[in-house]
Amino acid sequence: MMRTSFAILAAIIPLTFTFGASVENLLPRNTTQKQDLTPAQCCDGLKRILDPSKVLLPGSPEYAAQEASYYSGEQVLQFPVCRVAPTSPEDVSSIIKFATTSNCNFAVRSGGHMNWVGSSNIGPEGFTIDLEDMKQIELLDDSKTVAISPGLTWADVYTFLRPHNLHTAGGRSSHVGVGGFLLGGGISFLSLEHGFGSDNIINYQIVLADGSIVNANEAERSDLYWALKGGSTNYGIVTRFDMATFPLDQMWGGSLYYNISLGPTLLDYLVGFTERLAVDANGLFALSIAWNAANNDYLIWSPNAYLAPTPFPSPLYDGLEEIPTVRDTMRITNLVSVTDEINMSSPGGSRTQWFALVFKADATLPWDIYQKGADIMAPFLGKEGTSWALTLQPINVGMIAAAANRGGNPFGLTEKDGDLFLLLISIFWTDPEDDGKIKATTQDFLRWSTDTAKQRNLLNRFIYLNYALDTQPVLASFGDENVRRMKAVQKKYDPKGLLKVWKGGYKLDEV
């Protein structure tokens, strides 16, 4: 993809330092205040403190390749003045110290799978730190732990673990990146028994606002360890996640497809399935009602996974075989194959809007939300490249209890909330002329869905970060007490507010 139609700032003030110079040596002597540099000067400075080949400029193939790799078609069209590709925690430390000292705005990308503009990229007002070259992975502690760098995707992780017959609480779509997934909590095939992905992190290696490289775990910086489980972009750049491993060889997984007329039947089934997770939490049954342009109608897709080579295990999947399908790819297979199949359902590249909603497990509300969506999206669906989907999955009591048993997290969920459903609305289009109308429609749809759930006394305040829209109050949904704790942790580890130059993600200072 060519990126040639943008202007590069011409007035670059030369800096008289050499490659490998320390950050402190880049500033005038006797300076106590931060030095405000232009974005172009920031990039020029980065070339002096790093190997210059790690600073990618517009027009280079490496810059273009990184830009083209975002999931969101709108993030692809944000053009930072440069992109920086660190390969080590020390590189990240140098970048952070330079950026915070020089007031250089930046964004950070791990896998680039967030859906909204500016979540992990930036325009000409700054530079982007792209972690894709940080791809180290190794087994530790007699294979009980896997150390994962943030530039990996979950396909990379599972491919590495497969010969060892191991699994970890990572993403269910193969091309999702490690870093953003875990800093938003993350829901995995293991979550219904073991909690969010972040509940299964044993240690974070993180670069703090002052550039120091530290560990956060239950024994060391335990307050930071807790906050990072839903920390977004508030505490520092995590350069390694040490995660618990679990045995896994073959599994049963794939997809079931259904006629839209079976929607109410399948939603009733999902309620019962969620209740049965109390007996067997090794399976996932989810539903996605999606516009199928090829057939000019809606289709129901159900991704399924069971963490053993057992088709339709009882009692968890009792009754599912009796519901007629239009297509069935279920098979005895491996984790890589299942996550690749899920990834194919939403390959990215479109302009996107997502929003998330959590409510008590109920069959009627999601069907009503689908019908409302079908009504308000109807004017757009005749246009090529435009579609939308409603996806529903359980957050069961066992998942909430597992999180508490692992030291808790900031999300504010308790077992008293009971079994819940997590709803994701995802809207896709390609024509920039539709941006305003579709984004306004998304806001109306979110407002109607939230109000309806609230009116029926079904709404839970928790908003899942990884599915949320940028306008949703994600961190506030964690509850006042947890927000206070998170802010206290932020004040402790970034007392001067140096990381305000980090743009993107969900910010505590906006709560």
Side-chain angles (χ1 to χ4, degrees):
M1 188 177 297
M2 298 299 294
R3 304 292 185 208
T4 57
S5 60
F6 41 80
I8 301 175
L9 294 172
I12 299 178
I13 300 174
L15 300 176
T16 57
F17 43 83
T18 58
F19 164 58
S22 69
V23 172
E24 291 78 7
N25 290 337
L26 305 185
L27 301 174
R29 294 182 182 276
N30 303 318
T31 296
T32 58
Q33 300 295 321
K34 290 199 290 187
Q35 302 298 297
D36 292 350
L37 301 182
T38 68
Q41 287 176 305
C42 293
C43 291
D44 201 27
L46 288 166
K47 286 190 288 185
R48 273 43 175 210
I49 63 171
L50 300 170
D51 178 340
S53 67
K54 297 178 181 180
V55 181
L56 313 178
L57 298 178
S60 70
E62 296 83 2
Y63 180 103
Q66 286 190 359
E67 282 286 300
S69 64
Y70 282 93
Y71 173 83
S72 162
E74 288 185 282
Q75 288 219 104
V76 166
L77 299 176
Q78 290 185 280
F79 301 113
V81 175
C82 65
R83 301 184 66 86
V84 188
T87 58
S88 68
E90 291 74 22
D91 282 350
V92 175
S93 173
S94 295
I95 296 165
I96 290 294
K97 284 191 284 189
F98 177 76
T100 55
T101 306
S102 306
N103 254 0
C104 296
N105 292 330
F106 65 88
V108 180
R109 173 188 178 271
S110 172
H113 208 267
M114 286 293 284
N115 74 95
W116 47 272
V117 178
S119 52
S120 55
N121 205 5
I122 198 168
E125 67 273 21
F127 67 89
T128 295
I129 302 171
D130 197 310
L131 303 174
E132 72 169 14
D133 288 339
M134 298 184 68
K135 292 183 178 292
Q136 295 77 22
I137 184 169
E138 62 177 322
L139 288 169
L140 306 173
D141 191 25
D142 292 328
S143 299
K144 296 176 184 176
T145 304
V146 59
I148 306 169
S149 295
L152 295 164
T153 66
W154 291 109
D156 298 324
V157 175
Y158 299 150
T159 300
F160 172 82
L161 291 175
R162 185 183 171 194
H164 305 279
N165 293 331
L166 293 172
H167 180 23
T168 193
R172 295 165 297 179
S173 180
S174 57
H175 286 184
V176 169
V178 165
F181 173 86
L182 291 171
L183 290 170
I187 298 176
S188 87
F189 291 132
L190 290 163
S191 287
L192 299 172
E193 182 176 6
H194 296 283
F196 287 90
S198 60
D199 293 315
N200 293 275
I201 296 172
I202 296 168
N203 179 71
Y204 298 86
Q205 180 191 76
I206 181 172
V207 179
L208 298 176
D210 63 0
S212 57
I213 304 171
V214 302
N215 291 310
N217 50 59
E218 287 184 346
E220 187 179 8
R221 299 178 186 85
S222 59
D223 52 353
L224 179 60
Y225 173 68
W226 172 84
L228 284 169
K229 293 181 182 182
S232 191
T233 58
N234 290 286
Y235 299 105
I237 298 179
V238 177
T239 50
R240 197 183 77 207
F241 301 86
D242 298 345
M243 299 190 68
T245 61
F246 301 86
L248 179 67
D249 185 5
Q250 296 290 92
M251 61 183 291
W252 178 66
S255 300
L256 300 169
Y257 295 86
Y258 300 94
N259 188 282
I260 186 62
S261 63
L262 289 171
T265 299
L266 290 163
L267 288 166
D268 281 334
Y269 186 86
L270 181 57
V271 172
F273 180 93
T274 304
E275 293 171 354
R276 292 191 295 276
L277 288 168
V279 178
D280 182 355
N282 286 308
L284 169 73
F285 174 81
L287 294 172
S288 185
I289 305 173
W291 175 251
N292 181 7
N295 294 331
N296 198 37
D297 199 0
Y298 288 89
L299 181 72
I300 300 175
W301 168 55
S302 176
N304 283 269
Y306 189 76
L307 299 178
T310 308
F312 296 102
S314 181
L316 188 58
Y317 282 87
D318 284 356
L320 187 60
E321 285 184 278
E322 282 71 56
I323 303 176
T325 64
V326 296
R327 187 181 175 211
D328 179 347
T329 70
M330 299 299 295
R331 61 208 182 272
I332 305 299
T333 185
N334 59 72
L335 182 63
V336 175
S337 175
V338 173
T339 57
D340 280 346
E341 182 174 334
I342 291 175
N343 183 73
M344 289 173 60
S345 71
S346 183
S350 297
R351 309 169 89 81
T352 62
Q353 290 272 273
W354 294 1
F355 70 77
L357 211 62
V358 175
F359 48 84
K360 293 177 184 176
D362 175 83
T364 303
L365 176 62
W367 186 250
D368 291 343
I369 292 175
Y370 151 69
Q371 291 182 313
K372 178 67 175 180
D375 180 55
I376 67 172
M377 287 299 297
F380 303 103
L381 295 180
K383 199 162 190 177
E384 185 177 355
T386 302
S387 62
W388 77 283
L390 177 157
T391 303
L392 201 64
Q393 60 190 294
I395 296 178
N396 64 318
V397 172
M399 177 175 170
I400 298 169
N405 292 337
R406 285 164 172 76
N409 57 47
F411 301 138
L413 295 169
T414 72
E415 293 178 62
K416 292 181 181 179
D417 291 316
D419 288 332
L420 302 169
F421 282 165
L422 169 59
L423 176 141
L424 164 65
I425 296 293
S426 46
I427 300 173
F428 309 93
W429 73 102
T430 56
D431 189 345
E433 292 186 2
D434 291 334
D435 287 358
K437 289 181 180 179
I438 289 182
K439 289 181 180 181
T441 297
T442 303
Q443 292 290 344
D444 291 341
F445 193 10
L446 169 60
R447 190 176 306 109
W448 184 91
S449 302
T450 303
D451 289 346
T452 302
K454 192 179 298 182
Q455 290 163 9
R456 298 183 188 181
N457 198 31
L458 295 173
L459 184 68
N460 187 283
R461 71 183 182 189
F462 173 59
I463 299 171
Y464 179 50
L465 189 155
N466 289 349
Y467 290 173
L469 194 58
D470 58 328
T471 59
Q472 290 190 268
V474 170
L475 300 182
S477 79
F478 297 176
D480 292 344
E481 178 56 33
N482 284 343
V483 169
R484 280 193 290 270
R485 280 184 69 183
M486 292 179 77
K487 286 187 172 184
V489 173
Q490 183 185 46
K491 184 70 174 176
K492 178 178 176 180
Y493 292 98
D494 184 12
K496 297 180 181 179
L498 299 177
L499 284 179
K500 288 182 179 178
V501 294
W502 184 356
K503 308 304 177 182
Y506 296 90
K507 299 297 188 182
L508 281 167
D509 58 10
E510 296 175 0
V511 180

